[in-house]
Amino acid sequence: MKAVTWHGRRDVRVDTVPDPILEEPTDVIVRVTSTGVCGSDLHLYEVMGPFLDEGDILGHEPMGIVEEVGSEVTALKPGDRVVVPFNVSCGACFMCDRGLQSQCETTQVREQGSGAALFGYTKLYGQVPGGQAEYLRVPFGNTLPIKVPQGPPDDRFVYLSDVLPTAWQAVEYADVREGSSVVVLGLGPIGDMSARVALHRGAGLVIGVDFVPERMARARARGVAVLDLRESHLVEQIRDLTGGRGPDAVIDAVGMEAHGAPVAKLAHQAVGLLPDAIAARFMKTAGVDRLHAVRSAIEIVRRGGTISLSGVYGGMADPLPMLRMFDKQIQFRMGQANVLRWVPEILPLLTDDDPLGTDDFATHHLPLAQAPHAYEIFQQKRDNAVKVLLTP
């Protein structure tokens, strides 16, 4: 089969690789019909090389048709249409029972000290072959895949794999209530959808912050008050819009792709020049994250407010202004999205009314063979590339 594979920094290719096979009686094989390129994939493209091997199959946002089922699979049959969550979770352990699928105790990558395994996402999360491919082996076939109706286009459902539950959790963790004020930092796919979810759930004011004109225009068209990240008085502008005290919540949808921290940017680039063993230790202990976004969130949010982190941070030793956080009595919530926890709340919204705008959320639909081009334009924010879906 054809699959998108990693070959080095800013070097992804479409290679011919062995077809997946059933390895356990509860496995299913899915023929992928659509698969997304995620902002998190850009971390692999740019800086996570120390935790990848050449030829690793990327991607964690797939959906498709069940082609084959293991002998113990009773919940699915060939021909069923499914979305595959990015968490590899068993559905039966202590953590899964509590809706914490991203911490699944069956698939935790204990040798790395990490949570649940993820499709297509480095040795840190199990080095599981990903879904930017023609076929995908999916374990836990009775509990992990999300069965969806036949009929509507893939765009209606594919975001259940990651974008929708990640945005939904970001808004939930931000404690958005009727009439709340929310600032969303970053209007890429997760920030854009977080703003949509916040408005859908009754937020009185949603302010989006970005610097890419096309992203800002998308959010503005859906009722988001948009501010330019490059404004010199951004904090003051936000306070003016929120009665002088700041918003009730800030959602950081940027993570380590944050702009505005040139020293840390150089550290990110330096990681790519180090031998893998040294770079891996450096990333785990020295911390190379660019914390401009989270520091901005700490400054922006009102006293007693909430910061919800959905952006991915990779280092482990970045300093935070703890006195400022304590003094402002800020509440923090964060973590990988627990996909299956939120599906029952989201799936009823994926109707023909399409309140969250899934049908036209993607800016690009490209064949799998053009994956290198997709990564390039997404990483460089060219050609209005906000969300790219690949079609195997």
Side-chain angles (χ1 to χ4, degrees):
M1 70 170 183
K2 297 294 186 181
V4 180
T5 58
W6 183 88
H7 288 269
R9 183 169 178 259
R10 298 187 187 177
D11 183 3
V12 298
R13 306 175 193 173
V14 180
D15 290 336
T16 299
V17 301
D19 290 357
I21 60 172
L22 297 173
E23 298 178 12
E24 301 291 339
T26 53
D27 288 350
V28 301
I29 302 297
V30 174
R31 175 173 57 83
V32 178
T33 55
S34 290
T35 183
V37 180
C38 179
S40 296
D41 291 327
L42 297 184
H43 301 152
L44 315 186
Y45 189 66
E46 186 68 34
V47 74
M48 298 293 283
F51 302 104
L52 289 155
D53 288 331
E54 189 167 358
D56 279 355
I57 301 174
L58 306 181
H60 58 269
E61 297 186 350
M63 70 171 292
I65 305 298
V66 175
E67 289 284 302
E68 190 177 357
V69 301
S71 60
E72 295 181 12
V73 175
T74 58
L76 295 171
K77 63 183 184 303
D80 283 342
R81 191 184 194 195
V82 296
V83 177
V84 182
F86 74 92
N87 319 117
V88 184
S89 59
C90 72
C93 69
F94 176 91
M95 291 295 180
C96 288
D97 281 347
R98 285 154 181 78
L100 293 169
Q101 290 87 4
S102 68
Q103 309 302 323
C104 174
E105 292 184 328
T106 303
T107 72
Q108 279 179 17
V109 187
R110 291 178 174 83
E111 62 271 24
Q112 297 286 352
S114 302
L118 308 178
F119 285 104
Y121 212 78
T122 78
K123 298 172 188 176
L124 289 174
Y125 289 98
Q127 209 166 23
V128 181
Q132 290 172 3
E134 292 180 313
Y135 294 92
L136 177 68
R137 182 183 76 88
V138 181
F140 310 112
N142 287 316
T143 54
L144 181 57
I146 304 162
K147 189 175 177 180
V148 296
Q150 303 288 348
D154 281 7
D155 290 47
R156 183 77 56 84
F157 301 114
V158 67
Y159 305 115
L160 280 172
S161 59
D162 182 351
V163 173
L164 280 167
T166 297
W168 197 273
Q169 181 171 294
V171 173
E172 182 74 20
Y173 281 10
D175 194 26
V176 172
R177 305 179 185 184
E178 193 76 26
S180 291
S181 56
V182 187
V183 167
V184 179
L185 298 177
L187 293 172
I190 300 302
D192 186 339
M193 187 57 75
S194 295
R196 297 180 188 204
V197 171
L199 287 168
H200 174 76
R201 294 179 58 171
L205 173 65
V206 177
I207 302 169
V209 179
D210 207 294
F211 69 98
V212 181
E214 295 86 356
R215 297 183 178 195
M216 296 164 70
R218 273 169 61 102
R220 190 179 293 113
R222 296 193 68 91
V224 177
V226 176
L227 296 177
D228 194 319
L229 175 65
R230 296 165 296 189
E231 291 287 340
S232 58
H233 302 293
L234 182 63
V235 174
E236 290 81 358
Q237 285 183 287
I238 291 171
R239 286 182 180 154
D240 287 344
L241 292 170
T242 54
R245 70 171 59 91
D248 300 311
V250 176
I251 295 172
D252 173 3
V254 179
M256 65 180 178
E257 287 294 309
H259 292 263
V263 174
K265 179 179 180 180
L266 289 174
H268 265 193
Q269 294 170 342
V271 166
L273 303 177
L274 295 172
D276 282 356
I278 298 173
R281 289 198 301 272
F282 178 71
M283 290 182 68
K284 282 188 170 184
T285 58
V288 298
D289 285 339
R290 301 160 67 183
L291 289 181
H292 183 73
V294 72
R295 287 179 175 275
S296 296
I298 292 166
E299 191 61 30
I300 288 166
V301 73
R302 69 164 170 80
R303 291 179 179 273
T306 302
I307 294 175
S308 172
L309 299 183
S310 63
V312 174
Y313 286 93
M316 294 179 67
D318 294 293
L320 287 171
M322 295 302 295
L323 177 60
R324 180 70 168 156
M325 293 156 60
F326 182 85
D327 178 65
K328 291 189 71 173
Q329 200 170 334
I330 293 171
Q331 301 174 73
F332 267 87
R333 293 201 72 181
M334 65 192 78
Q336 299 277 11
N338 304 296
V339 173
L340 293 176
R341 164 66 181 84
W342 308 112
V343 167
E345 297 179 40
I346 299 169
L347 194 54
L349 300 177
L350 303 183
T351 63
D352 287 342
D353 291 339
D354 194 23
L356 299 177
T358 57
D359 282 352
D360 60 359
F361 190 70
T363 54
H364 293 68
H365 294 80
L366 297 172
L368 190 71
Q370 291 187 28
H373 173 67
Y375 271 79
E376 182 179 349
I377 62 172
F378 188 30
Q379 194 265 347
Q380 296 180 10
K381 299 177 176 65
R382 285 176 21 216
D383 193 27
N384 189 26
V386 178
K387 187 61 183 178
V388 182
L389 293 181
L390 300 174
T391 305

